Amino acid sequence: VLYRNSLTSAGFLRDLPSLTELDLGRNMLTALDAQISDWNPLLLKVFLYENRLTSLPLLRLPLLTDLWLDNNRLSTLGPLGFLPSLERLQAKNNEIQTLASPIAASPLLQVLELAFNQLQIEAEPARTVPHYPRLRRLQLNDNPFVADLMEDYRPWVLQLVPWLEELDNDRVSESERATALLRRTMQDPH
C-alpha cells in the first residue's frame, strides 16, 4: 500500500515481480508504465484512484480481478487489453467521453462503474452501454446522455443489458426485466 505518498512515477514496480495487490491511490501519477504487465504479472487488484492519469497502457494481466480508476483525468476508457479475470472495473468521476468496444477482453466482468463522466449516446449502443454477459451491476448515472434520454434512460439501458441486477444503485425489478426482454425480442426477433 503506497497510497497518499505524492508519487509521480511507479518505475519501482519493476523490482516487485511477486506483487499481487497494488494500491497507488491518492498520488500524483500522470501515467502508468507500459511494462507493468511484464514487471508484475501476478497482480490481482490494482487501485489507481485519485491520481492524474490521462490514459492507460494496454495491460496483459490474466489474474487481475479489480481495477479502480476513479477520480483521474481519463477522457477515453480502453482498450485496456487482456484482462480475462477482471470482475470489477471502476472509473467514476473522470472525463470519459469515449468507451472502446470492448473496453477490455474481460468475459467475467460483473461490476462496471462509469458514473460522473462525460459519456454521450453513440451511434453504436455498445459504445455507450458495454455488453458483457456476466455484467450484474452498472453505474452510468450523471453522464450527459442520461439527462438527454430522461425517463427513457433506464428502459433503454435494460433493453441493451436485461440481465442486470442493479442499475445506478437501484435494483432491477422482475417486471422491468420482463419488459426489457420483450422490447429486445420485438426489436430483434432472431
Side-chain angles (χ1 to χ4, degrees):
V1 175
L2 293 167
Y3 112 115
R4 205 181 268 186
N5 276 293
S6 301
L7 296 174
T8 58
S9 170
F12 62 89
L13 293 173
R14 75 175 51 89
D15 299 321
L16 302 169
S18 299
L19 191 66
T20 59
E21 191 166 312
L22 176 63
D23 187 344
L24 289 175
R26 295 187 176 170
N27 279 289
M28 293 192 283
L29 299 173
T30 57
L32 193 60
D33 197 295
Q35 292 181 308
I36 188 168
S37 296
D38 297 326
W39 295 340
N40 311 107
L42 303 177
L43 283 171
L44 300 172
K45 298 177 187 287
V46 174
F47 305 103
L48 297 168
Y49 57 89
E50 295 183 35
N51 275 285
R52 299 175 182 171
L53 298 172
T54 57
S55 65
L56 293 169
L58 279 175
L59 301 171
R60 291 174 320 285
L61 296 169
L63 304 176
L64 189 72
T65 62
D66 293 74
L67 179 57
W68 293 27
L69 304 167
D70 301 333
N71 298 297
N72 277 287
R73 297 179 181 166
L74 300 170
S75 60
T76 300
L77 187 60
L80 296 177
F82 182 66
L83 305 172
S85 300
L86 190 67
E87 295 176 359
R88 181 182 196 100
L89 174 56
Q90 290 189 200
K92 298 178 298 207
N93 287 310
N94 277 281
E95 301 162 7
I96 299 169
Q97 298 173 7
T98 307
L99 300 176
S101 183
I103 296 171
S106 305
L108 302 180
L109 192 66
Q110 295 177 31
V111 178
L112 180 59
E113 298 185 4
L114 299 172
F116 299 97
N117 278 292
Q118 297 300 313
L119 291 171
Q120 303 285 342
I121 292 180
E122 298 279 342
E124 182 184 334
R127 292 181 64 87
T128 306
V129 179
H131 182 278
Y132 290 96
R134 295 190 183 210
L135 193 64
R136 296 298 176 257
R137 290 186 49 214
L138 178 62
Q139 283 188 351
L140 295 170
N141 55 288
D142 296 283
N143 277 286
F145 86 91
V146 174
D148 293 344
L149 288 173
M150 297 174 57
E151 68 274 353
D152 293 330
Y153 160 70
R154 191 170 172 91
W156 181 75
V157 171
L158 291 175
Q159 186 175 341
L160 294 170
V161 281
W163 50 85
L164 286 179
E165 295 173 1
E166 186 178 292
L167 176 59
D168 299 334
N169 294 318
D170 288 327
R171 299 257 337 134
V172 174
S173 70
E174 286 306 315
S175 63
E176 283 180 303
R177 187 179 333 285
T179 301
L181 286 167
L182 180 62
R183 285 184 180 181
R184 186 181 176 113
T185 303
M186 289 173 52
Q187 255 191 353
D188 183 17
H190 304 292

